[in-house]
Amino acid sequence: MSGSPRIAPFFNDPSLRRFTSDAMKTTFRIFVSGGNPVAVDSAVSEAFLKLEELEGILSRHVPGSDISRINRMIEGETLYISDECDQCLRLAIEATAITGGRFDPCLGTMIDAVKSGAGMIRDVTGIVSLDEVRPLVECHEAGRVFDLGAIGKGFALERMGGILATHGIENALLTSGASTILALGALDWPIDIPLSSGPRRLSLRAAALAASGNSHQGNHIVNPADGSPAEHFENVWVVHPRAPLADAFSTACFTMSSREIGEFVTNHQPDCQVLSDPDWRT
């Protein structure tokens, strides 16, 4: 059973305007309720241009991206990066700290090994650091492979949502494939979560919903502690006020046990709602 959230029947409303664009190996969608059509078209066009720009900055699969250049750094080298890559990396570091290392943006080597069937890789080398103030990366030891797939889409949605807001669009829903959904404005957007016990409908308002699981890509989410595939749950969904953190936390929670999820929510993220299949609370 796929872990993708389902768009509820409300989204068949013909008055709801729909837009799509392919990026980051998935399809991004924008749904807009109300607003001047000319202003909406202009705002959405600008948002999709920002998405294209961010893909060229954040994807490790784009040879000239900031992340690709970081991954190719040699010992002693320094590299100035874009402000947006810097901001996304700092959010990733924040998420790593909050989750006690269960989210790790430096797992590119482990992910590739698990996807290829090579098994666990316990020793991942390489050390880089960010300047405290400037968008500057320093390589202390080569070999670290960044992969922002588990936070980059949420980061992109948040930036796109900011563009819509500056154009006066009050109510919109943005999605990145089956990964992340961001609701803007005061509307309740009905989203169906496909639990094995039956679908559960959430009302998403001014918040993000992120999903993590192995339904679409096989065992690709790994435990940073040892590189082993995460196998506690079929799927995990996280609701959080910020899309990039919802992305990161859903990945982190997918690697946790039920007890660890409970401790994470209670001690670190009380405003974070975690759903899982099977239910982590049972």
Side-chain angles (χ1 to χ4, degrees):
M1 182 178 190
S2 170
S4 306
R6 300 283 198 272
I7 293 176
F10 167 79
F11 291 86
N12 293 325
D13 184 345
S15 68
L16 200 65
R17 303 198 65 199
R18 300 162 175 80
F19 306 86
T20 64
S21 182
D22 291 334
M24 298 183 177
K25 296 187 175 182
T26 191
T27 298
F28 282 71
R29 292 181 169 84
I30 298 177
F31 302 85
V32 179
S33 177
N36 178 278
V38 175
V40 169
D41 287 347
S42 177
V44 169
S45 177
E46 186 177 334
F48 281 146
L49 285 175
K50 173 58 68 175
L51 172 63
E52 182 179 351
E53 176 189 339
L54 289 173
E55 181 177 28
I57 292 171
L58 301 178
S59 174
R60 72 181 175 109
H61 302 293
V62 175
S65 72
D66 283 2
I67 294 301
S68 292
R69 292 190 298 143
I70 292 171
N71 290 343
R72 294 196 301 268
M73 291 177 73
I74 62 176
E75 183 176 340
E77 186 178 3
T78 59
L79 176 68
Y80 275 98
I81 58 176
S82 65
D83 287 337
E84 287 183 312
C85 183
D86 179 69
Q87 292 162 17
C88 190
L89 282 173
R90 292 183 194 277
L91 272 175
I93 292 169
E94 177 186 347
T96 300
I98 293 172
T99 61
R102 287 306 185 105
F103 172 79
D104 188 341
C106 303
L107 292 182
T109 302
M110 286 186 176
I111 293 169
D112 289 344
V114 170
K115 281 185 175 181
S116 68
M120 296 184 292
I121 294 180
R122 298 182 182 275
D123 297 320
V124 178
T125 61
I127 302 172
V128 299
S129 64
L130 281 172
D131 186 87
E132 290 186 4
V133 178
R134 298 172 296 173
L136 179 68
V137 179
E138 181 176 358
C139 179
H140 305 279
E141 178 186 327
R144 183 66 64 173
V145 178
F146 281 84
D147 186 310
L148 297 182
I151 196 170
K153 294 182 180 67
F155 183 83
L157 289 182
E158 193 168 81
R159 286 294 184 269
M160 294 164 67
I163 289 172
L164 299 184
T166 61
H167 282 265
I169 295 177
E170 296 181 353
N171 297 299
L173 192 85
L174 299 85
T175 74
S176 61
S179 170
T180 315
I181 299 173
L182 174 63
L184 305 177
L187 283 182
D188 288 323
W189 297 85
I191 309 295
D192 290 338
I193 304 297
L195 299 170
S196 57
S197 58
R200 174 177 173 178
R201 178 159 297 180
L202 297 180
S203 293
L204 197 65
R205 177 192 293 192
L209 169 68
S212 287
N214 290 322
S215 302
H216 295 281
Q217 300 184 49
N219 290 337
H220 71 289
I221 302 176
V222 299
N223 186 336
D226 59 13
S228 61
E231 297 176 331
H232 291 293
F233 304 102
E234 291 295 323
N235 297 284
V236 169
W237 303 267
V238 167
V239 178
H240 191 274
R242 296 202 60 183
L245 293 182
D247 249 357
F249 293 160
S250 69
T251 300
C253 287
F254 192 78
T255 73
M256 297 180 186
S257 66
S258 296
R259 176 186 58 80
E260 289 169 330
I261 291 177
E263 292 175 351
F264 169 70
V265 173
T266 301
N267 298 331
H268 301 288
Q269 293 294 309
D271 59 348
C272 180
Q273 181 183 3
V274 181
L275 303 170
S276 66
D277 199 4
D279 190 344
W280 66 270
R281 294 164 298 183
T282 58

